[in-house]
Amino acid sequence: MVSAAFKSDSEFFTKGLSLIPSTFDMSNFTRAWDAGNFDRYFINSVIITVAVIAIVLFITATCGYALGRYSFPGKKLFMAVLGASIFFPLEFSIIPIFQLIKEMGLMNSLLGIILAESGGGHVLFVLLFASFFRAVPKELEEASIIDGCNFFQTFIHVIMPLSKPIIGSVIIMQFVWTWNSFLLPLVLTLSTPELRTLAVGLYTLRGENIVDWTGIAAGGTIALVPIIIIFLFLQRYFVDGIAGAVKG
């Protein structure tokens, strides 16, 4: 894909299997960025992804904290329902999500996409947090209470700083899923092309009779760069988080 992004159309079709372009053509990136409206799509993707990660982190961390640290009536049933939700694919729930966003008056808006993307059980993240919080010594909570912290202060100032590996893992995985999400942004922005994300924007480069393959390759490369950057910065937390959860 990266190699094709630097090739001309003629070279792409005549020497499609060669990895090194004869000449590095930057016009594909310019065409994808300007003519393909990738500048606007990029901003939309950043806004949606950052907002979704913040919401998902809050939901899964608080839910994992309650499941990992406390016992309450119906906990086993809740865990069973949460685990069963893994078997329901996104396509199964797309119609209820569409109806819900429509009834809330959030169709064709970034807020509607954000709420749709951040909804769901996020079972993997909840279980990661619950497994990690379960192993945190109770003495830390008791010490914070003695120092005058309430429930939320203990959670924010004591427990959450300890869970940086899990937070890094959640950020990476949710970033990849939201950044590459296609179905929900497509369905919720059918009549407002200016609100599309990069993944949906790539699809617009494919016409009915002509497909801009080099433009699609350039757009895919543009969309890939942020994922690589995020992973390089957070890979240590990702590895530590997965290893710690498996150990726990």
Side-chain angles (χ1 to χ4, degrees), residues 115-211:
L115 293 180
E117 289 286 350
S118 58
H122 302 287
V123 182
L124 175 61
F125 301 156
V126 172
L127 295 180
L128 284 175
F129 275 114
S131 175
F132 182 85
F133 290 147
R134 192 179 298 114
V136 175
K138 293 185 177 180
E139 288 77 9
L140 292 176
E141 292 178 323
E142 296 172 353
S144 66
I145 294 174
I146 294 175
D147 290 337
C149 293
N150 56 31
F151 176 84
F152 292 102
Q153 289 174 330
T154 300
F155 175 71
I156 294 173
H157 298 293
V158 178
I159 302 299
M160 285 300 290
L162 297 175
S163 61
K164 288 182 180 179
I166 307 299
I167 293 175
S169 302
V170 171
I171 289 176
I172 288 178
M173 288 187 283
Q174 188 61 49
F175 183 92
V176 173
W177 294 340
T178 305
W179 189 265
N180 292 330
S181 179
F182 176 80
L183 183 58
L184 279 176
L186 174 65
V187 172
L188 298 178
T189 60
L190 287 175
S191 58
T192 51
E194 64 273 10
L195 295 180
R196 290 169 176 166
T197 59
L198 278 176
V200 182
L202 279 173
Y203 183 72
T204 61
L205 294 175
R206 182 182 183 275
E208 293 184 6
N209 302 316
I210 300 175
V211 180

Side-chain angles (χ1 to χ4, degrees), residues 44-65:
N44 292 339
S45 294
V46 170
I47 294 174
I48 293 171
T49 303
V50 171
V52 169
I53 289 175
I55 295 173
V56 170
L57 267 178
F58 176 78
I59 294 174
T60 55
T62 51
C63 185
Y65 184 63

